[in-house]
Amino acid sequence: MPNRLVIPVIVVVLSFSFISFAQTTAPRQSGAVRDQKAGPAPIHDISGLWDPTPPGVGIQAQGPLNMRNDGKPEHELPYTPYGSQVYKSHKPLEGPIAVAPGLDNDPRNLCEPLGFPRMNWYNLWSTQIVQSEAKVLILYQYDQKWREIVMNQELPKDLLDSERRFYGYSVGKWVDDTTLVVQTTGTMPENRVWLDSTGRPLSDQLRVEERFHRVSHDRLELTVTIDDPKMYTKPWVAMDKFAFKLLPPNTRVLEMLCSPVDQANYNKEIGDTVNGTTKTEKPDAH
């Protein structure tokens, strides 16, 4: 049985291991952000290359920023009995019920797709938003994932039961000159995706609302509300006015990938060593 006292240190090592093999230098920028002229937000436009601010705040290792899984009473989620059961069955590498590396069952550590909305608070770095009249595309630096938001349409009810997606189906509409509201549903069931790295659950009944509010030319704020009646007794806010700053358009965004080969090597060289197992040994069940 691994010594529980060393687990927090182990978790930090693992968290940074994903970043170290993918990105070894900071993005090169031509021209500083401060050189951009601040001004009012353009109408119906959130396009651009955006970076969470302050730097590093998008890592969110304990879960979404406004509802961290940190043991504080105000951050305790309103689980249904089934939601609590699913949460306790998970073996995350972070949070109050963390296990040692190599003993976890987080789908992410098999390099499975993160799924939605976890991508909004797992290693959230530079994010490119591209717009047309019919669609908004969001490109995420981590694992080079992207989402499609279809504008001014209803959610595709005929597809929700027959074709589930890791990132769901998203539709958006402008509710005022500077606020885009996006509704997403049709995501994967609970055995395929987690809410965050601490093991909190999601289900195929999930509905997510995102509010992208462009406060000014150089600032974008994102609010995310979770509504999953299978796992939680009421909706709750995961991110509240999470801030991004606009980067120069010629900023170079480096690659950040989840590599199954690198993950396997990490488990072999570090995870198996820490938890005292090898390929031919199994961890003590006691």
Side-chain angles (χ1 to χ4, degrees):
M1 185 75 176
N3 187 336
R4 299 291 298 181
L5 293 178
V6 302
I7 288 175
V9 177
I10 295 166
V11 171
V12 172
V13 173
L14 181 65
S15 298
F16 280 97
S17 74
F18 286 99
I19 299 173
S20 63
F21 70 72
Q23 178 173 348
T24 56
T25 59
R28 243 175 234 272
Q29 297 184 13
S30 176
V33 174
R34 64 176 179 271
D35 291 337
Q36 298 183 85
K37 294 182 179 180
I43 295 176
H44 292 182
D45 184 2
I46 58 170
S47 63
L49 179 60
W50 301 92
D51 214 35
T53 183
V57 70
I59 295 175
Q60 300 173 89
Q62 292 181 303
L65 190 64
N66 290 95
M67 285 297 256
R68 299 170 186 255
N69 196 355
D70 53 13
K72 294 182 179 180
E74 62 268 30
H75 292 162
E76 181 66 24
L77 297 185
Y79 292 109
T80 63
Y82 181 70
S84 180
Q85 175 187 333
V86 174
Y87 171 57
K88 292 174 182 177
S89 74
H90 290 168
K91 298 177 181 179
L93 291 172
E94 300 166 4
I97 60 172
V99 300
L103 302 181
D104 66 288
N105 60 4
D106 187 345
R108 171 210 57 169
N109 292 338
L110 298 174
C111 287
E112 280 282 278
L114 278 175
F116 180 82
R118 188 174 178 180
M119 61 202 307
N120 276 337
W121 44 75
Y122 179 83
N123 275 319
L124 183 62
W125 298 91
S126 297
T127 304
Q128 181 82 50
I129 300 178
V130 182
Q131 283 185 228
S132 71
E133 186 174 337
K135 294 182 179 180
V136 174
L137 302 180
I138 304 181
L139 292 74
Y140 298 82
Q141 180 178 356
Y142 178 78
D143 220 19
Q144 295 189 331
K145 299 299 183 185
W146 62 278
R147 292 173 56 206
E148 175 186 82
I149 299 167
V150 180
M151 294 297 293
N152 302 314
Q153 292 188 18
E154 298 296 322
L155 287 165
K157 296 178 182 179
D158 56 325
L159 294 176
L160 297 186
D161 292 327
S162 61
E163 189 181 338
R164 294 277 164 175
R165 295 182 175 183
F166 278 99
Y167 302 105
Y169 297 87
S170 299
V171 298
K173 65 178 181 179
W174 293 98
V175 295
D176 58 38
D177 287 347
T178 57
T179 305
L180 176 68
V181 174
V182 179
Q183 304 287 342
T184 301
T185 190
T187 54
M188 287 292 191
E190 52 267 32
N191 64 332
R192 302 302 303 275
V193 294
W194 286 9
L195 173 73
D196 60 31
S197 298
T198 72
R200 294 188 289 192
L202 293 173
S203 82
D204 53 5
Q205 294 184 22
L206 173 71
R207 294 181 69 95
V208 179
E209 180 186 272
E210 298 165 285
R211 299 182 72 88
F212 294 88
H213 178 209
R214 190 161 184 175
V215 179
S216 64
H217 182 272
D218 296 340
R219 184 181 178 91
L220 179 69
E221 293 179 347
L222 171 61
T223 297
V224 182
T225 301
I226 303 294
D227 184 3
D228 187 343
K230 192 172 182 178
M231 296 297 177
Y232 305 103
T233 59
K234 61 181 180 180
W236 52 275
V237 175
M239 299 173 80
D240 186 17
K241 298 179 180 178
F242 182 92
F244 296 83
K245 64 181 178 182
L246 186 65
L247 297 179
N250 57 351
T251 299
R252 182 182 301 169
V253 179
L254 299 186
E255 196 173 71
M256 264 186 109
L257 296 172
C258 183
S259 163
V261 172
D262 286 325
Q263 178 62 50
N265 288 338
Y266 179 87
N267 287 340
K268 179 180 178 181
E269 296 172 9
I270 298 178
D272 292 344
T273 301
V274 169
N275 64 48
T277 65
T278 65
K279 289 184 178 179
T280 60
E281 296 176 340
K282 293 183 179 180
D284 190 345
H286 299 289

Coordinates of all heavy atoms in Angstrom, one line a residue, residues 114 161 268 283 285:
L114 N -10.5 14.2 -23.8 CA -10.9 14.8 -22.5 C -12.4 14.9 -22.4 O -13.0 14.7 -21.3 CB -10.3 16.2 -22.4 CG -8.9 16.4 -22.0 CD1 -8.5 17.8 -22.1 CD2 -8.7 15.9 -20.6
D161 N -29.7 10.7 -29.1 CA -29.7 9.3 -28.5 C -28.9 8.3 -29.4 O -28.4 7.3 -29.0 CB -31.1 8.8 -28.4 CG -31.9 9.5 -27.3 OD1 -31.2 9.9 -26.3 OD2 -33.1 9.7 -27.5
K268 N 5.6 3.2 -16.5 CA 6.7 2.2 -16.3 C 7.8 2.7 -15.5 O 8.3 2.0 -14.5 CB 7.2 1.7 -17.7 CG 8.3 0.7 -17.6 CD 8.7 0.3 -19.0 CE 9.9 -0.8 -18.9 NZ 10.4 -1.2 -20.3
P283 N -0.9 -4.5 -7.2 CA -0.9 -3.8 -6.0 C -1.6 -4.5 -4.9 O -2.6 -5.3 -5.1 CB -1.5 -2.5 -6.3 CG -2.4 -2.8 -7.5 CD -1.6 -3.8 -8.3
A285 N -4.1 -5.4 -2.3 CA -5.6 -5.0 -2.2 C -6.0 -4.5 -0.9 O -7.1 -4.0 -0.7 CB -6.4 -6.3 -2.5

